[in-house]
Amino acid sequence: MDFDEIQDAKFKQMTEAPVPRLISRLAVPTIVSMLITSIYNMADTYFVSQIGTSASAAVGIVFSLMAIIQAVGFTLGMGSGNLVSRMLGQKDRETALRAASVGFFTALGVGVLIAVSGLLFIDQLVRLLGATDTIYPYAKDYAQYILIGAPYMTASFVLNTQLRSQGSAFFAMIGITAGGVLNIALDPIFIFGFGMGIGGAAIATNLSQLISFCILMFYSLGMRGNLPISIKHFKPSRALCSEIVRVGIPSFYRQGLASLSAVLLNVYAGPFGDAAIAAMTIVSRVMMFIGSALIGFGQGFQPVCGFNYGAKRYDRVLEAFWFCLKVALAALAALAVIFFLGAPSVMSLFRKGDMEVIQIGSLAMRLQCLLLPATGWVIMTNMLLQSIGDGRNASILAMSRQGLFFVPVIMALPPIIGILGVQLCQPAADICTLCLSLFIGTRKLRELASLRDAQGKTA
C-alpha cells in the first residue's frame, strides 16, 4: 500500500474498530515503554545508591533538571501530536505533516539552548536545584552529562509522542525499549566496571537516549506509513504554533511544576539530612514506576480520543474514557495494596541497612499509596481534556497537583510538623487535586454527552 492507502486504513481502524480492543492494542506497547523508562530510572537510582547516600540524593537533585528537559519535550510532543491526531481524524494530512515537523525541529532547537545555558552556569544551576555541600560534587558530575544530551532527549520525547498519536505505538515502543534496556545494561559497566561513579550513570543514560533517538527518527522519516519529518514541512505559522502551544502547555505545567516540586522537596527535606533527601528521591522514583503503567494506558487512549473527536464520533470518545477509567481504578487499587504492605522491603532494595532512609521512605510511600487510586480519575480526565483541545481546563488541572496545591503545602507543613510534613505533602496535594478534577471532569463529560445525544437525534 502507498502512503495515502495506509493513512486511510489507519483512519478506518481508529474510528470503527471496537474501542476496548483498539485502546488495548495501542496501550500495551506504550505501557511497556513507560515501564521500561521507569525501570531504567530506578536502575540509575539503584546502582548510584551503591556509591553512598549523598550520591543517591544527587540523582534526586538532577531529576529536577531532567524534568525540565521532559517538560519541553512533552509540551511540543503533546501539542504537535494531539494536533496530528485531530487533523488525521479530519483527513487534513498537510496540516498534520506541518505540525509534526514544526514540533520536532523546535524541540531540537530548544534542547540546544538548554544544553548551552546549563553548561555555562552549571555551578549555580546545581545549587539552585537544592544540592547541599556533600551532594554538590555528585550532582554536578551527573548534571553535566545530562545537559550534553538535552537536544536529542527533548526531540525524542516529541518523536515518541507523534508516533503514538498516529496509531504507531509499536514503533514508539521499539525506540524507547531499546534505549531503556541498553541503559540498564550500561549502568553497572560505566559506574563500577570503568570506575566512573555517578558520571558513568549519566553517560550510560546519554548513550541509551541517543540510540532511542536514532530508532525513533528512523520510523519518523515516512517508514511504515508514518508522517515523514522533513525540513521542507517546517513551515511555522502563528496559528499553527499557537495551537501546538495551547494544547501542549498543560504538559509543560505538569512537568515544569514537577521539577519545581522536586526542588522544593529537596530544599525542605534538606534540614533533616541527606537521608531524608535520599528517601524521598527513592519514593518519588517508585511512585513514578507505579504511575507509569497508568500513564502508558492513558496514552493508548489519547490517539483514539483525538481521532474520534476530530471525526465527531463523540460516542466513541466517551466509551473510551469510561473503559480506561474502570481499568485504571482497578489496577491502581491493586498496586496500592501491594506497595503499601511491601514499602519497607522496597526501600531496602535501594538502601539496605540504612534504617533512617528506610524508615522515612516507608511511611512516605504508604501515605502516597492511600491516595493512589484517586490519581486514575485525575490523569484520565487530564488526558481527555488535552486530547480534545481543551487547553484551558487541561492546564488548570495539570498545574494543580504539583503546583497550585503542592507548593503551598510543602512550604507550610515541614516548618510546623517537621519531617512528617515532608512525607504528608504529596498526599495532601492529591486530595485537593481530586476534588478539583471531579468538578472539571464531570462538567466536561456532560458537555460531550450532550454533543453525542444531539448528534444521535440528527442522525
Side-chain angles (χ1 to χ4, degrees), residues 180-363:
V181 172
L182 181 63
N183 196 111
I184 295 169
L186 291 179
D187 261 344
I189 294 174
F190 281 93
I191 295 172
F192 306 114
F194 294 159
M196 299 182 69
I198 194 170
I203 293 174
T205 297
N206 254 357
L207 289 175
S208 60
Q209 289 280 353
L210 181 59
I211 296 299
S212 287
F213 170 76
C214 292
I215 294 173
L216 293 169
M217 192 71 242
F218 173 78
Y219 287 117
S220 299
L221 293 174
M223 301 297 177
R224 307 297 179 90
N226 295 310
L227 297 176
I229 299 290
S230 171
I231 194 67
K232 72 178 182 179
H233 297 305
F234 181 68
K235 300 175 182 178
S237 66
R238 183 172 183 176
L240 182 66
C241 293
S242 295
E243 182 64 13
I244 290 174
V245 172
R246 186 182 70 83
V247 177
I249 201 67
S251 293
F252 181 81
Y253 292 145
R254 185 165 50 247
Q255 292 297 320
L257 288 170
S259 178
L260 174 61
S261 68
V263 172
L264 290 175
L265 190 61
N266 293 329
V267 169
Y268 282 91
F272 304 101
D274 289 1
I277 297 178
M280 298 309 296
T281 295
I282 293 168
V283 171
S284 296
R285 289 297 175 95
V286 172
M287 298 309 292
M288 282 177 58
F289 173 75
I290 296 173
S292 64
L294 170 63
I295 293 172
F297 189 71
Q299 288 176 344
F301 157 76
Q302 285 188 301
V304 177
C305 182
F307 258 88
N308 285 281
Y309 188 79
K312 302 187 185 304
R313 289 296 308 272
Y314 307 116
D315 56 327
R316 286 172 63 83
V317 172
L318 289 166
E319 182 185 357
F321 174 82
W322 289 114
F323 168 72
C324 288
L325 181 63
K326 291 173 184 176
V327 174
L329 292 177
L332 287 175
L335 288 170
V337 172
I338 293 170
F339 281 86
F340 183 93
L341 297 174
S345 299
V346 173
M347 293 300 300
S348 296
L349 290 174
F350 295 90
R351 290 299 299 156
K352 186 176 181 180
D354 193 331
M355 296 310 299
E356 188 177 7
V357 171
I358 294 171
Q359 183 179 20
I360 294 171
S362 295
L363 179 57

Side-chain angles (χ1 to χ4, degrees), residues 152-193:
Y152 53 81
M153 287 183 187
T154 306
S156 290
F157 288 120
V158 173
L159 295 176
N160 179 41
T161 305
Q162 288 181 356
L163 286 171
R164 287 189 289 100
S165 298
Q166 298 172 60
S168 297
F170 178 75
F171 301 126
M173 179 194 73
I174 293 174
I176 297 300
T177 301
V181 172
L182 181 63
N183 196 111
I184 295 169
L186 291 179
D187 261 344
I189 294 174
F190 281 93
I191 295 172
F192 306 114

Side-chain angles (χ1 to χ4, degrees), residues 446-459:
R446 283 196 295 267
E447 290 179 14
L448 289 170
S450 297
L451 290 170
R452 176 200 60 193
D453 296 341
Q455 194 175 54
K457 290 178 183 179
T458 58

